[in-house]
Amino acid sequence: MSLSATAIWAPAPSTTRGQPTPLSADSKGQRIAYASNRSILLRSIDDPASSSQYTAHIAQTTVARFSPSGFYVASGDISGSVRVWDCVGEGATKGEYHIISGRINDIAWDGDSQRLIAVGDGKQRFGHCITADSGNSVGEISGHSALVNAVSIRQQRPLRAATGSDDSSIVFYHGAPFKFNTSLRGQHDSFIYGVAFSPDGASFVSVGADKKIWLYDGKTGEVRGDVGRGEHKGSIFGVSWASDSKRFATASADKTVKLWDVEAGRTIQSWSIGDGGPDVGHQQVGVVWPAGRSDGLVISLGLNGDLSYLHEGSPTSSRTLQGHQKSITAACVTGDSTNAAPTLWTGSYEGRVCGWSVGDGSAETVRGPGHSNQIVGFAQGDESGEQMYSIAWDDSLRTIDNSDKKFAERGASLAAQPQAVVSVGPKTVAISTASGLEVYRNGAEKIAEITTKSAPLALAATQTAGNVVSIAVSGGDRIVRIYTFDGKSSTMALKKELSATSAPVTALAFSPNDEYLAAGQSSGKIVAFDTKEYKVVIDRWSSHTARVTAIAWNKDSTYAVSGGLDTNIFVWSVESPAKRIKVIGAHKDGVNGVAWTAYDDRIISVGADAAIKLWKFKP
């Protein structure tokens, strides 16, 4: 047996309201780099479903910058550490350097890819200049009295650098080694969020919370003047130059991205992101103009994590990349068959729900009156998968229309906090809550309920005969209870109690052929019962070292896959229970969901890193 990674569907960039989020593109214009949770993502621009993930940071990441050579990336985190690593091969770390005692806000490389400057929010200092290969000091960052938000290095000799700070000043440096040359004050009267040298080194630009744009001489640091005063109506969070050094792009909290002609000092194009409503998620907090491309592409980042593809000369975005910014806490595959690509539904910690095409990896955020808290489960409304149900810790049940990825206006309020949901008939779902089981029809009508002896932890269901469904419910008392639900009479009854587990059961799954019930425990062990007499038939699946969070079967019921809080994925054989294959560290901070598609026999996993990973299994 073997299990190999085939794709990573990247999470959205992590953003913070009122702060810029740096984006970086490689010198060929093929990939972008950004920070997401405790990882760095390198994502193909033309094929966004293709990406790689760097997971060596132990703290929340904040910035990633490609080196001009294209061989390395420098990334920083909130602990003040900067890592330099290989972005062409296996992602090996070249060096780890502690720069400051706080958050790294920005990083800049010199033109030789030998030196870098990292800046941020420190105590003794707000940044430092080092060599990329050894971390030796090649200058100092001084002249600021508050945290530094942005840094840029002139790519030509003589080397120059500029930093922008919350103290509303620009400091200009000569190098190398980099030393303070002059402090530029009076241009900005609020926080400076971005500075950038032009590719030819002739100019550099600064932007900030005062909605102003200033141009300077790239060699001397002399002020040339401001550009487009009053054009932006909100803070300007990002700026990026075109490769010809004649134009640059800005991204603003006024939900617009603008292109500027340097010589004329005016706007040459403007895009408005979003529908014009009050949603702050469309505030633009980062922008990059990838070099090495001929299509005039500008990529802008919204506060909600959406990446907008904007082409010079086109009035609207050509593409919007959506996904999760927070831990994915629930996942479900629907519409799955051997001849049709299914839809993957995912929900995250903050209540966002996305629908993914398993065929091409594209995602769309579900719109409408949705959830306001952690998503904990999905259930399919019918065999076609056109209707979905979701539950969350806002104690609500919602209906989703798959055709237009939109929540229905009508939902249901649950009696207690939900834990899991399963389908028990056409447009009928059973929901386990802190007090027991509830059954709803059409997403709003409660038709049955029963109080369980112990607060439910996990839930699974399978068709028994006719309108009767068997529902397995686990509790904190280490007992799995089997209930029967009659869809015709809308009644539930306790059928059997299983007490063969040594720890509370945290994951349940019936096999597609209805012959087995797999039960994963908080201790990491998994046992399988037969569904005729509910006796233990497999008790050797015990390699997880922490709570089992999810179990899924393949379509032939011959193998099962499990994920756990130990960050690992295991595939188990029914025929040979002692055999297993494992992926260690599949998801940083834990695996929260697994699925096994019938469409192409691939395994899908989701986790706390907000990423979705696809795996190819070979028996």
Side-chain angles (χ1 to χ4, degrees):
M1 296 189 299
S2 66
L3 191 64
S4 57
T6 59
I8 298 175
W9 295 344
S14 295
T15 59
T16 303
R17 189 172 183 182
Q19 286 187 347
T21 302
L23 298 176
S24 177
D26 65 15
S27 57
K28 296 179 180 179
Q30 296 176 343
R31 296 182 295 173
I32 58 172
Y34 58 78
S36 179
N37 299 300
R38 295 204 289 175
S39 303
I40 299 296
L41 276 299
L42 305 184
R43 194 169 187 179
S44 169
I45 292 176
D46 296 315
D47 181 17
S50 174
S51 62
S52 60
Q53 183 182 26
Y54 178 77
T55 60
H57 282 278
I58 60 174
Q60 172 80 35
T61 55
T62 55
V63 58
R65 296 287 190 185
F66 282 103
S67 66
S69 68
F71 294 115
Y72 298 101
V73 168
S75 54
D77 59 36
I78 61 172
S79 72
S81 291
V82 169
R83 287 177 173 264
V84 178
W85 45 280
D86 170 26
C87 65
V88 177
E90 297 297 321
T93 301
K94 186 178 182 181
E96 179 186 5
Y97 316 114
H98 189 74
I99 304 298
I100 55 176
S101 57
R103 186 182 196 269
I104 300 292
N105 287 332
D106 201 4
I107 298 172
W109 290 84
D110 73 348
D112 300 325
S113 300
Q114 295 180 351
R115 309 170 186 85
L116 56 86
I117 299 176
V119 298
D121 185 10
K123 293 181 180 178
Q124 283 79 29
R125 61 187 183 187
F126 298 111
H128 199 49
C129 317
I130 61 171
T131 55
D133 58 351
S134 64
N136 293 330
S137 177
V138 286
E140 60 180 16
I141 298 299
S142 60
H144 289 296
S145 59
L147 66 91
V148 179
N149 292 310
V151 60
S152 183
I153 299 178
R154 188 173 186 260
Q155 302 296 288
Q156 297 78 16
R157 295 182 181 274
L159 293 180
R160 300 287 186 264
T163 54
S165 168
D166 270 8
D167 63 10
S168 72
S169 71
I170 300 282
V171 172
F172 194 68
Y173 304 86
H174 284 189
F178 290 98
K179 296 181 180 179
F180 176 91
N181 175 257
T182 185
S183 178
L184 303 171
R185 298 180 179 272
Q187 288 75 45
H188 291 279
D189 51 28
S190 189
F191 306 146
I192 297 172
Y193 287 139
V195 293
F197 278 90
S198 60
D200 63 7
S203 308
F204 79 90
V205 61
S206 65
V207 298
D210 57 3
K211 314 168 193 174
K212 296 177 182 178
I213 305 170
W214 285 88
L215 283 170
Y216 311 81
D217 185 277
K219 189 174 181 180
T220 66
E222 294 179 1
V223 179
R224 288 182 177 172
D226 63 339
V227 175
R229 181 169 297 199
E231 287 282 345
H232 276 299
K233 308 302 180 184
S235 298
I236 305 174
F237 286 116
V239 60
S240 182
W241 286 86
S243 56
D244 62 8
S245 300
K246 296 178 180 179
R247 297 159 297 158
F248 60 84
T250 55
S252 171
D254 63 8
K255 307 175 187 177
T256 65
V257 177
K258 296 181 184 291
L259 301 188
W260 303 84
D261 184 297
V262 174
E263 185 176 350
R266 62 179 179 83
T267 304
I268 55 177
Q269 186 161 358
S270 179
W271 293 276
S272 181
I273 310 299
D275 55 8
D279 183 10
V280 298
H282 294 302
Q283 292 182 359
Q284 300 302 293
V285 296
V287 65
V288 62
W289 197 326
R293 300 180 67 93
S294 59
D295 56 359
L297 174 66
V298 174
I299 301 175
S300 181
L301 170 64
L303 182 62
N304 59 6
D306 289 356
L307 290 164
S308 299
Y309 282 33
L310 309 168
H311 288 272
E312 188 177 9
S314 176
T316 58
S317 63
S318 62
R319 190 175 199 172
T320 300
L321 305 183
Q322 297 183 316
H324 292 285
Q325 293 179 293
K326 304 290 186 181
S327 168
I328 298 177
T329 53
C332 177
V333 171
T334 63
D336 192 15
S337 66
T338 56
N339 57 4
T343 298
L344 171 69
W345 296 93
T346 54
S348 54
Y349 176 79
E350 84 281 24
R352 181 179 300 181
V353 174
C354 292
W356 304 74
S357 168
V358 175
D360 60 14
S362 60
E364 185 177 348
T365 301
V366 178
R367 300 167 287 111
H371 296 286
S372 59
N373 211 322
Q374 178 176 322
I375 309 296
V376 292
F378 296 98
Q380 190 166 322
D382 49 37
E383 291 184 0
S384 68
E386 286 302 309
Q387 195 172 66
M388 285 294 299
Y389 297 106
S390 61
I391 58 170
W393 280 355
D394 56 7
D395 300 349
S396 70
L397 167 67
R398 293 284 178 181
T399 304
I400 304 170
D401 186 344
N402 187 12
S403 61
D404 61 358
K405 301 294 189 295
K406 190 175 182 180
F407 285 105
E409 292 293 333
R410 187 184 179 194
S413 296
L414 305 177
Q417 189 177 82
Q419 301 297 322
V421 59
V422 291
S423 176
V424 292
K427 298 184 179 180
T428 307
V429 293
I431 300 171
S432 62
T433 70
S435 58
L437 280 177
E438 301 178 14
V439 180
Y440 286 82
R441 185 167 289 156
N442 296 320
E445 178 189 359
K446 184 191 292 188
I447 60 173
E449 64 179 322
I450 191 170
T451 302
T452 56
K453 295 180 180 180
S454 178
L457 296 177
L459 193 64
T462 186
Q463 196 79 24
T464 303
N467 294 313
V468 179
V469 175
S470 292
I471 305 174
V473 185
S474 67
D477 56 3
R478 304 181 184 180
I479 295 175
V480 177
R481 295 175 173 85
I482 309 298
Y483 293 86
T484 57
F485 171 73
D486 190 325
K488 188 174 182 180
S489 61
S490 300
T491 57
M492 277 189 292
L494 179 63
K495 177 182 178 181
K496 196 173 185 63
E497 292 187 345
L498 314 178
S499 56
T501 60
S502 58
V505 172
T506 53
L508 289 166
F510 282 101
S511 61
N513 63 6
D514 297 331
E515 291 184 7
Y516 303 103
L517 171 64
Q521 304 171 45
S522 60
S523 63
K525 185 177 182 179
I526 301 172
V527 297
F529 301 89
D530 73 86
T531 56
K532 292 182 179 179
E533 299 180 3
Y534 285 102
K535 293 182 178 180
V536 175
V537 292
I538 299 173
D539 63 355
R540 302 185 66 181
W541 296 351
S542 55
S543 294
H544 282 289
T545 58
R547 176 162 63 99
V548 178
T549 56
I551 301 172
W553 294 84
N554 70 333
K555 63 179 183 295
D556 298 323
S557 303
T558 52
Y559 297 95
V561 60
S562 62
L565 286 185
D566 56 5
T567 76
N568 304 331
I569 291 174
F570 287 89
V571 177
W572 314 91
S573 169
V574 173
E575 183 179 353
S576 303
K579 290 185 178 180
R580 66 183 186 276
I581 54 174
K582 63 182 178 180
V583 177
I584 297 176
H587 287 274
K588 196 176 180 70
D589 300 324
V591 180
N592 291 335
V594 291
W596 205 320
T597 69
Y599 166 64
D600 52 7
D601 204 32
R602 283 192 296 180
I603 293 170
I604 301 174
S605 63
V606 301
D609 57 4
I612 298 170
K613 298 187 178 182
L614 283 75
W615 314 84
K616 186 64 179 178
F617 171 71
K618 290 184 179 180

